[in-house]
Amino acid sequence: MGETNLDTTLLNQLFHNYSTVELVNTERNLAAFANDVYNLTDADGQKYVMRILKAPIPETVQFEAVMQTMLADGHIGTAQYLKLSTGGYVGEQNGTFFTLSKRIQGTVPKTASLELVRNFGVTLARFHSSLEGLVVPRSKMQWFDPAN
C-alpha cells in the first residue's frame, strides 16, 4: 500500500467503526514513517490517532496490544489500541486497514539535559522490566531481524 491522503469524509467512515460521533478536525501527521498516521478530534473534543496500516497483519497488531497492556501495567504511558465495533483492534473498509488509539498529550523536548537523559534511562529500565519474560513470535514485520 502506498501513501494515503484521506479526507475527513473517508476518515469519518473509518472512525465510525469505533464511534458514531463525527470528526471535526483531521490532520495528517507528516512525522510518521512506518504507516500513514492521522490526528483526529471528534465533536466531543476527544483526540485520537489513526494509523493506516501499510502491511495489515492482525496478529502483529494483537501482539502489540498485549505489549501495550504490559507497559501500561508497569505505569509506562503508552498508546492503547481501542477495540472497534468488530471486537478487534484492526479495522478494514474498502481495503483500507487501520488502528485507532486515544492521543497521548505531550511535547518533544527541544534540548537534552542530564535530567532528561536520567529520566530516559529510568523509563527504559521500567520498559524492560515491564516486558520481562515476553517471547516475541516470528513475524515478517520484524524489520530488525536479520532473517527478514
Side-chain angles (χ1 to χ4, degrees), residues 76 109 112-128:
I76 296 175
S113 67
L114 288 177
E115 181 182 13
L116 178 63
V117 172
R118 181 194 165 287
N119 288 341
F120 178 79
V122 168
T123 301
L124 185 59
R126 288 180 35 222
F127 183 93
H128 284 280

Side-chain angles (χ1 to χ4, degrees), residues 74-93:
H75 306 288
I76 296 175
T78 182
Q80 296 282 304
Y81 293 140
L82 300 171
K83 284 198 176 180
L84 304 172
S85 58
T86 60
Y89 297 110
V90 178
E92 186 274 331
Q93 188 165 327

Side-chain angles (χ1 to χ4, degrees), residues 56-76:
I57 302 176
E59 62 273 11
T60 298
V61 173
Q62 180 63 38
F63 189 75
E64 289 172 353
V66 168
M67 292 175 64
Q68 291 171 347
T69 299
M70 293 174 76
L71 293 171
D73 289 348
H75 306 288
I76 296 175

